[in-house]
Amino acid sequence: MLTRKQHELLMFIHERIKETGVSPSFDEMKEALDLASKSGIHRLITALEERGFIRRLAHRARALEVVKLPQQATAAAPPKGRGAFKPQVLEGGGQALAAPAPIAADNTRELPILGRIAAGTPIDAIQHERERLPVPETMLGAGEHYVLEVQGDSMIEAGILDGDYVIIRKGDTANSGEIVVALVGEEATLKRLRKKGGSIALEAANPKYETRIFGPDQVEVQGKLVGLIRRYH
């Protein structure tokens, strides 16, 4: 699932290429999405590229290609600019998490799957429980837990692959070196957290992706990784 801003940008690029044959400039994208700086556009484009929606074409100016559109995409309305947005990685499923998770007879606990999260560049996790996944009690321990489906390859060297289900213990603190769900502005990401002096580094486990550095007030920990489930189809 794309964030609202990611979806707006993708559809804006798609419509502009259809109309003119050329992708819009960064200034045009910034203005269309009513963002304060082009750094926000760079972040959104990187997220869309990582998830396979767009591709940068080498050695060409303003060279973006739309590879695919979201399944739910329809004729896109023009972006309406910045509106009030409240991150709901956890809050949107708060009521479901507040209730005790059902305990199955085979010593498993059914946890809510709250959606997808990128293993790398931030995306927005889905805001509501979509289904439940039985998880062995031995993986959990105390506390509230939830599940997110991984999308992307940015944590492959940590053994986290596209399509895996990560088990997250809800909490707002983590030690340096732990893999966390981190909220950065409007978006959430699964990364290894490093504390470096007065800064927070969110580190991918794939050399293709850069480590991103933030001030301590820019990152909110939403939980930390305690387990992983992989389905084979």
Side-chain angles (χ1 to χ4, degrees), residues 203-218:
E203 183 179 279
N206 184 332
K208 292 194 323 187
Y209 300 99
E210 296 179 350
T211 295
R212 305 177 70 215
I213 309 296
F214 299 93
D217 59 343
Q218 294 179 286

Side-chain angles (χ1 to χ4, degrees), residues 149-163:
E149 183 182 355
V150 173
Q151 186 164 4
D153 64 354
S154 298
M155 297 299 287
I156 56 174
E157 293 188 2
I160 302 171
L161 308 183
D162 184 64

Side-chain angles (χ1 to χ4, degrees), residues 39-90:
S39 63
I41 295 296
H42 280 284
R43 190 175 73 236
L44 291 171
I45 286 176
T46 300
L48 290 170
E49 183 182 26
E50 181 198 345
R51 301 184 68 203
F53 286 97
I54 64 174
R55 178 167 55 232
R56 300 181 207 237
L57 303 178
H59 311 302
R60 289 175 55 187
R62 294 172 56 175
L64 295 175
E65 177 185 15
V66 175
V67 178
K68 64 179 180 179
L69 295 174
Q71 291 182 352
Q72 71 272 25
T74 56
K80 297 181 180 178
R82 184 179 306 172
F85 181 92
K86 295 183 179 179
Q88 293 183 325
V89 179
L90 301 182

Side-chain angles (χ1 to χ4, degrees), residues 14 61 70 80 103 106 121 123 148 158 161 164 167 170 184 187 203 214 219:
H14 174 64
K80 297 181 180 178
I103 305 297
D106 59 353
T121 309
I123 66 169
L148 292 169
L161 308 183
D164 285 348
I167 315 303
K170 183 180 178 182
V184 182
E187 302 169 321
E203 183 179 279
F214 299 93
V219 177

Side-chain angles (χ1 to χ4, degrees), residues 193-204:
L193 181 144
R194 302 281 188 191
K195 297 177 182 178
K196 299 185 176 182
S199 300
I200 300 293
L202 297 180
E203 183 179 279

